Amino acid sequence: MTTDPVVEERLDKAAQALAEATVLYVGAGAGMGVDSGLPDFRGNAGFWNAYPPYRELGLDFARLANPTWFRRDPALAWGFYGHRLELYRATEPHTGFTRILEWSKRTRHGAFVFTSNVDGHFQRAGFPEERVYECHGAIERLQCLDGCGAEVFPAAGIRVEVDRSTFRAVGALPSCPSCGGPARPNILMFGDGGYDDEPARRRAEEFGSVLREIDLSSERMVVIECGAGTSIPTVRNHCEALMRMGATLIRINLREPETPSRGIGVRLGALAALEALDARLRTLTNDRFRNQSDRAESVIVATS
């Protein structure tokens, strides 16, 4: 429960839309992972708080998340991405993921996930792999840095030792299983001309194929957007495009909840909003069950 009547009203409206949904579509940005304990890279202060040595080097997230470091200084590059790989593996997705998954199981066509996050937490929470579109890649996939022609390969079993005092990798670094050359994460970075987008393109085609089989003109699609900001607006733009096609947009964002007309903007963090919506949905479900029971009892009495 919040103390803001505007937020309360919008949560009520959002819950009603979710209760009537036949298709759920989830758009998730970095704010979705903050409640799991993942660092917030928004602004230099948050980034340098998570990675203090980079402050001394004058490297912010945008400068460090650049593929050139894998050639110029691979120990620096893998120090950053190797640490994130282990961090994402060690962090449990918060219960908001579970709430959405539970809603999807009560929805005719289930849920589709479009996320710019690379942590793999939707799959960890139980969402089917084929229903998760990671538009910026995934840290659990690697690719050949030299582009030898090898397909993207899984990072399962790969560990990168990182010196926590410098956040530099030590020891052997990941390599391409085909040519033996250096490997890099299959993640779209800044200024990235070498990113292998084949897995993302394949998933986009699969999504399009499944969605075309659903007659959206006769269905009620609700888009739940969580923690997607305007600095990199990929997810926000995608969700707004679906709204223009007739979907109801619920935008959950603590800092930037504004929506186009007809959208429902909720100024809360992802976990708080999802738990509040779940409580409302349970109440709506119980009320409907009681109403159905009352009607059934009235029929029995009238015919007896």
Side-chain angles (χ1 to χ4, degrees):
M1 182 71 69
T2 73
T3 58
D4 187 331
V6 173
V7 172
E8 290 293 316
E9 179 184 359
R10 292 180 179 179
L11 285 169
D12 289 342
K13 187 177 180 181
Q16 188 63 51
L18 285 168
E20 298 171 356
T22 59
V23 186
L24 291 183
Y25 201 101
V26 183
M32 183 66 174
V34 170
D35 289 316
S36 298
L38 296 178
D40 183 359
F41 292 160
R42 181 188 173 96
N44 290 341
F47 179 67
W48 286 333
N49 182 59
Y51 297 98
Y54 300 144
R55 182 195 301 270
E56 302 301 319
L57 297 174
L59 294 174
D60 57 18
F61 176 73
R63 291 187 62 195
L64 190 59
N66 189 300
T68 60
W69 291 111
F70 285 93
R71 296 195 184 279
R72 291 171 54 188
D73 193 343
L76 174 70
W78 270 113
F80 179 48
Y81 281 98
H83 175 265
R84 289 174 66 192
L85 176 62
E86 293 306 314
L87 175 65
Y88 295 160
R89 286 172 173 172
T91 302
E92 289 297 321
H94 60 73
T95 56
F97 289 86
T98 306
R99 298 292 176 252
I100 299 174
L101 184 62
E102 290 170 347
W103 303 342
S104 74
K105 292 177 180 177
R106 301 194 296 266
T107 306
R108 183 184 305 159
H109 298 289
F112 297 83
V113 178
F114 180 89
T115 179
S116 59
N117 298 337
V118 301
D119 51 36
H121 277 194
F122 279 98
Q123 295 92 321
R124 287 264 306 279
F127 287 79
E129 179 73 35
E130 66 274 11
R131 287 292 185 101
V132 182
Y133 178 3
E134 297 160 306
C135 63
H136 289 170
I139 203 161
E140 285 288 354
R141 296 195 298 264
L142 304 180
Q143 64 179 77
C144 179
L145 182 64
D146 295 327
C148 72
E151 293 185 353
V152 170
F153 57 97
I158 290 177
R159 296 284 187 274
V160 178
E161 184 179 354
V162 178
D163 182 336
R164 294 297 296 271
S165 66
T166 62
F167 277 102
R168 293 181 65 84
V170 295
L173 300 179
S175 60
C176 173
S178 180
C179 71
R184 52 160 282 186
N186 180 231
I187 293 174
L188 179 62
M189 305 177 197
F190 293 94
D192 197 346
Y195 170 64
D196 187 343
D197 67 350
E198 174 57 26
R201 286 193 295 108
R202 187 166 58 245
R203 186 55 45 80
E205 292 170 0
E206 292 169 355
F207 258 47
S209 177
V210 174
L211 286 171
R212 281 191 293 273
E213 294 177 1
I214 300 173
D215 182 7
L216 296 180
S217 65
S218 62
E219 302 289 345
R220 294 186 178 183
M221 175 184 280
V222 174
V223 179
I224 313 168
E225 181 193 291
C226 299
T230 58
S231 57
I232 302 177
T234 309
V235 174
R236 285 174 79 100
N237 291 344
H238 184 80
C239 292
E240 288 180 12
L242 291 171
M243 189 184 76
R244 289 192 292 271
M245 295 169 57
T248 298
L249 171 62
I250 301 170
R251 172 165 285 159
I252 297 169
N253 197 298
L254 189 59
R255 297 187 181 99
E256 301 170 303
E258 299 77 17
T259 71
S261 61
R262 297 185 301 105
I264 305 170
V266 180
R267 189 181 291 277
L268 285 175
L271 178 57
L274 295 171
E275 292 287 13
L277 287 170
D278 189 65
R280 283 165 168 77
L281 284 170
R282 290 177 187 275
T283 299
L284 288 171
T285 300
N286 290 337
D287 287 346
R288 289 178 180 179
F289 178 78
R290 282 193 294 269
N291 290 338
Q292 289 170 355
S293 297
D294 290 343
R295 286 195 296 270
E297 184 175 342
S298 297
V299 171
I300 292 172
V301 171
T303 56
S304 60

